[in-house]
Amino acid sequence: MRPLKTARRVLPALLATMLLAGGVLVGQTATAEPAAAGAITCNIGKLKSDARKERDRAAKLRNLGATKEANKAIAKAEALEKRARQCADADNTSRPPFGK
């Protein structure tokens, strides 16, 4: 009797796992379309100009004595500059699709 109880528990669990792995119960997952070769994914110039504006705003806030707000503006400017660097690096190091 022991193997029969085990089979009653294991087989439905195994079947459910296989159906979930196949996507039958969840539904078809949406696939993202690949980006076109050489497409610009972010505007590096705009990111840099926004970072410059944030740095200027931070300088004004610091002169007014609002150091917390100035530090937040500087952090935002650094994040924008980092994103611009990431985009530039991605554009410079991306490889064309295989076979082209």
Side-chain angles (χ1 to χ4, degrees), residues 53-74:
K53 288 177 187 175
E54 283 296 319
R55 288 214 181 264
D56 292 341
R57 190 171 77 88
K60 287 179 185 177
L61 289 170
R62 192 164 300 244
N63 286 338
L64 294 173
T67 57
K68 282 186 179 181
E69 291 82 6
N71 289 338
K72 286 181 184 180
I74 289 173

Side-chain angles (χ1 to χ4, degrees), residues 77-100:
E78 288 174 354
L80 288 169
E81 289 170 351
K82 181 178 178 181
R83 180 70 180 140
R85 279 193 309 273
Q86 288 173 343
C87 288
D89 290 343
D91 288 345
N92 292 336
T93 60
S94 64
R95 293 182 176 180
F98 183 73
K100 287 191 176 182

Side-chain angles (χ1 to χ4, degrees), residues 14 16 46 52:
L14 183 62
K46 184 175 183 325
R52 185 70 240 163

